[in-house]
Amino acid sequence: MDLSIFGLASIYVEWLLWGFGVTLLLSAATCVAATLGGLVICAARISPLRVFSIPARIYLAIFRNTPLLVQIFFWYFAGSAIFPTPLLDWFNNPHTVTIAPAGTTWLSFKLPSFEFWAGFVSLTFYTTAFIAEEFRSGLRAVDAGQREGGLSLGLSPALVFILIIVPQATRHAFAPLLGQYMNAIKNSSLTMAIGVAELSYASRQVETETFQTFEAFGIATILYIFAVAVVEAIGELVQRRRDRKYGRGAVT
Amino acid sequence: MNFDVVWNNLPYLLWGAWPQGPLGGAALTIVLSLFSGIASAVIGLVLGVWLFMARGIVHTVLLLFLSFFRSIPVLMLIFWTYFLLPVALGFSVPELATVVCALAFIGGAYLAHGVAAGLRSVGGGQWEAGISLGLGRWRVLRLIILPQSLRRMAPSFVNQWVALIKDTSLAYVIGVPELSFVATQVNNRAMVYPAEIFLFVAAVYFVICGALDLVAGAVAGKEREHTRGDKAAKTAS
């Protein structure tokens, strides 16, 4: 298949698309893991028990106030000092996962390299901290009267939190959450520093190989804008459905 | 944990080869942050005011321009400025300038929306009062709206500056010897104790970002006292 575009040979476009695939995979995995992590950290942060809230505060302060690049270097270079050797050996060797029910190979794929895992771990820890804070500000955005109303209806504080506060907070936190997903896509570019072959890395490689700077960076830029625009469009769609359901001006 | 590798390379990590060579390390990180912070504030204010005042097609074009900078990775923009700025200007541009340029535009694009939101948050009555006093739109903006909204914008400026300090680490990709770059140099030379090196580097960034946060908090506290004083004075009269 001939993929050449803007005068860039087909093979290099393939490199870029492959890089884009890695970017998407890395950021999607990060978003899922960081959303779960964000829920946990947010719960710990708002907990009345100090055993939970103080470690959560420390986590948030550290991971939000240090550069992602330094965190990536830390997990990549210092990972070997922190993690046990068998685990590292496992990550450093290539693995192929084969799903073969009843003898026939159904699905077979290679597990990503150590660089990818290091990038995933650092992106997840970093994004978790930001998503946790978005959740927390979503909770704070719910009017205090809602809680009082629920309590005066005779609901227990736990039920008020689950039935009244959380559904509204989810709506408040939705747009900022998508914003963090877009940041995750953009931040995944930093993993090129440890050699993850994602889109920025690929564009740099194509540039070195062909000297077609403008084309290489141009295509990569367009792909990034495309990915971010898709997330934005999803947000817009959800927003519109919600407007139809609850009417404009309802809590969004 | 053995922090000897950090102590042995401390001057290099803090100010690079200076004074024998060029400034580097944490000192260069601070210099980069200062320049790009100031430039992003200027760009953010100008574009934000423009976004707020512009109507129709200009407004749309401006929105598209801003969303371009907000939707590409900082790294990508650094590549662009690094490779294309010299071509566009026709003479070689130092790496430092290209990084400052990229960071200033990214920061400015984010700030512009904060500035526009801050301007919108000032009640319509203020505008009507200004106009009915016979002032033009721009004079109302400059004399009445901007002074009030600057206080409300302050938190978004501080957040953006913290993000900028962290983003200066990306200068690493084009070989600017700021803190992250010299840290990888030291790490590559020593080949041992990477955890200690990067923990120390993270701590330095943490202190710089934390210091900015503290200063901003102190200023905001004073500001609150000040407004409270205003209110007290008003109720007294």
Side-chain angles (χ1 to χ4, degrees), chain B residues 192-214:
Chain B
V192 281
Y193 312 124
E196 287 83 346
I197 294 173
F198 289 110
L199 278 179
F200 172 76
V201 169
V204 173
Y205 278 109
F206 187 81
V207 168
I208 299 175
C209 293
L212 174 60
D213 227 28
L214 277 182

Side-chain angles (χ1 to χ4, degrees), chain B residues 1-224:
Chain B
M1 288 272 136
N2 182 341
F3 280 94
D4 282 352
V5 64
V6 171
W7 305 135
N8 293 339
N9 292 291
L10 197 58
Y12 190 63
L13 285 167
L14 290 183
W15 46 76
W18 191 80
Q20 282 85 31
L23 193 69
L28 187 60
T29 293
I30 292 175
V31 170
L32 271 176
S33 308
L34 277 178
F35 275 106
S36 51
I38 293 167
S40 72
V42 172
I43 294 176
L45 266 177
V46 170
L47 292 184
V49 167
W50 198 14
L51 186 69
F52 178 72
M53 300 297 268
R55 296 283 174 271
I57 186 84
V58 181
H59 185 255
T60 314
V61 170
L62 201 54
L63 266 183
L64 280 176
F65 178 77
L66 291 178
S67 58
F68 169 77
F69 284 105
R70 283 150 51 94
S71 60
I72 66 169
V74 184
L75 208 62
M76 221 57 222
L77 193 66
I78 291 180
F79 285 165
W80 275 120
T81 50
Y82 181 60
F83 289 102
L84 288 183
L85 216 53
V87 177
L89 296 177
F91 53 87
S92 77
V93 181
E95 280 96 353
L96 277 180
T98 62
V99 172
V100 169
C101 184
L103 290 180
F105 268 98
I106 293 255
Y110 276 96
L111 275 178
H113 281 279
V115 169
L119 290 173
R120 273 193 294 268
S121 76
V122 177
Q126 300 286 329
W127 278 97
E128 285 157 21
I131 303 267
S132 67
L133 282 175
L135 301 174
R137 244 161 72 82
W138 285 96
R139 290 190 75 192
V140 176
L141 179 80
R142 188 164 55 86
L143 298 174
I144 299 174
I145 309 297
L146 211 51
Q148 297 183 57
S149 50
L150 273 179
R151 280 177 204 168
R152 298 179 198 187
M153 296 170 198
S156 68
F157 274 85
V158 175
N159 285 340
Q160 201 49 52
W161 283 332
V162 169
L164 270 183
I165 293 172
K166 295 193 288 168
D167 282 346
T168 57
S169 63
L170 302 190
Y172 159 89
V173 288
I174 55 168
V176 173
E178 44 68 60
L179 184 54
S180 308
F181 186 82
V182 296
T184 54
Q185 276 185 325
V186 170
N187 183 44
N188 290 343
R189 219 180 317 146
M191 289 304 272
V192 281
Y193 312 124
E196 287 83 346
I197 294 173
F198 289 110
L199 278 179
F200 172 76
V201 169
V204 173
Y205 278 109
F206 187 81
V207 168
I208 299 175
C209 293
L212 174 60
D213 227 28
L214 277 182
V215 171
V219 172
K222 270 230 182 85
E223 204 51 55
R224 259 198 299 282

Side-chain angles (χ1 to χ4, degrees), chain B residues 229-237:
Chain B
D230 280 357
K231 268 187 200 139
K234 252 182 238 158
T235 39
S237 62

